[in-house]
Amino acid sequence: MIMKTANKSYKEKTLISMYIDEEVDYWANKWGVSKESIKSAVKALRSNSITEVHDYLFGKEFSK
């Protein structure tokens, strides 16, 4: 099931809307991590980019 917000599915978005619990839940469930892990990643990165958060959580190299 693909959740939709503001006429875009979560899959089509580039940023995680941290103030929408359903969206944070979606990414946490999709990646098999806790909501707190996502929140911590966003805080550490100072970014809510889906790609950057994913890479941070799963240890992929990236430069900012």
Side-chain angles (χ1 to χ4, degrees):
M1 179 171 96
I2 298 173
M3 301 286 295
K4 289 195 172 203
T5 182
N7 298 325
K8 282 190 172 186
S9 71
Y10 291 153
K11 278 177 53 173
E12 296 168 337
K13 295 180 71 176
T14 58
L15 301 175
I16 300 171
S17 297
M18 297 305 296
Y19 59 91
I20 301 175
D21 284 337
E22 293 168 342
E23 187 165 345
V24 178
D25 286 339
Y26 171 82
W27 291 108
N29 290 331
K30 179 173 177 64
W31 293 334
V33 299
S34 68
K35 289 179 7 177
E36 291 74 25
S37 294
I38 292 176
K39 291 176 184 179
S40 294
V42 168
K43 186 175 181 179
L45 291 166
R46 295 183 182 182
S47 170
N48 60 336
S49 162
I50 292 168
T51 303
E52 288 185 23
V53 171
H54 177 273
D55 291 351
Y56 179 88
L57 290 170
F58 295 99
K60 294 188 179 177
E61 293 281 328
F62 67 93
S63 59
K64 192 164 181 177

